[in-house]
Amino acid sequence: MTNCRIDLTGQQGGACASDPIRISRVQPAAMANYMSSAAWTSFCDKVDDALKPLDQVRRISRLTFVAFFALFLVFMILPILTISSDPSSGMNFPFIGFIIGPLLLMAGMIGMQCYAKQKSTNALKGLEAVCEDISKQYSQLSFHVRFDYILYGR
């Protein structure tokens, strides 16, 4: 039995990457006898459609990171400016803003991570469904989603 590896492009760079996540369009030579080039293109289009939510998650993650960073700076600088401009004013507003603001931002960041995880999981389930459907159409072929985990350090 022959195995073929079909890679996805655009995965490097995390939220900062500009290339969309797509399937490599090069059909493995071992599959040419079992699947026509038109069927391969159709398969690639279905995989790309299943991967589109990952691009959306990446874009939203990038925007929310910038917004969270900017708001964090505002919540840190605004209380200092308020205290320095009017030292006789009470410490209530600056102190509350200094504590509550970052806590709200952390809650927002956690919520964003949960949203990204859910969308990513759904996209990968969609990718697995595409592979399962194509495997049913072509009895000689079996498509599976495999994950390469790269561990850094020792």
Side-chain angles (χ1 to χ4, degrees):
M1 178 169 210
T2 303
N3 289 320
C4 298
R5 178 184 172 110
I6 304 166
D7 290 320
L8 301 178
T9 61
Q11 297 180 84
Q12 289 73 26
C16 297
S18 59
D19 294 334
I21 300 172
R22 300 286 178 255
I23 189 172
S24 174
R25 294 288 177 146
V26 178
Q27 182 179 12
M31 291 178 55
N33 295 333
Y34 303 104
M35 184 180 245
S36 69
S37 61
W40 171 255
T41 301
S42 174
F43 168 70
C44 290
D45 291 341
K46 290 176 184 177
V47 169
D48 286 346
D49 287 342
L51 294 172
K52 281 183 183 176
L54 296 178
D55 292 330
Q56 179 186 13
V57 165
R58 183 186 283 173
R59 188 173 42 257
I60 290 171
S61 294
R62 186 175 30 239
L63 292 174
T64 55
F65 175 76
V66 170
F68 287 140
F69 183 73
L71 287 172
F72 180 77
L73 289 177
V74 167
F75 281 125
M76 291 295 117
I77 294 172
L78 190 61
I80 294 169
L81 293 177
T82 304
I83 292 171
S84 65
S85 67
D86 188 11
S88 64
S89 69
M91 288 288 287
N92 289 341
F93 173 72
F95 181 73
I96 291 172
F98 196 72
I99 299 297
I100 301 296
L103 289 176
L104 290 174
L105 288 175
M106 285 192 292
M109 288 172 47
I110 291 170
M112 177 59 207
Q113 291 298 317
C114 292
Y115 168 79
K117 178 66 175 171
Q118 177 195 16
K119 291 293 259 184
S120 298
T121 300
N122 290 343
L124 294 176
K125 285 181 181 178
L127 179 59
E128 289 173 342
V130 168
C131 290
E132 186 177 319
D133 290 344
I134 295 296
S135 295
K136 288 178 183 176
Q137 290 178 13
Y138 296 91
S139 60
Q140 308 92 347
L141 300 174
S142 179
F143 290 87
H144 304 279
V145 178
R146 304 250 191 262
F147 299 99
D148 290 339
Y149 294 101
I150 300 171
L151 301 176
Y152 296 99
R154 294 190 223 183

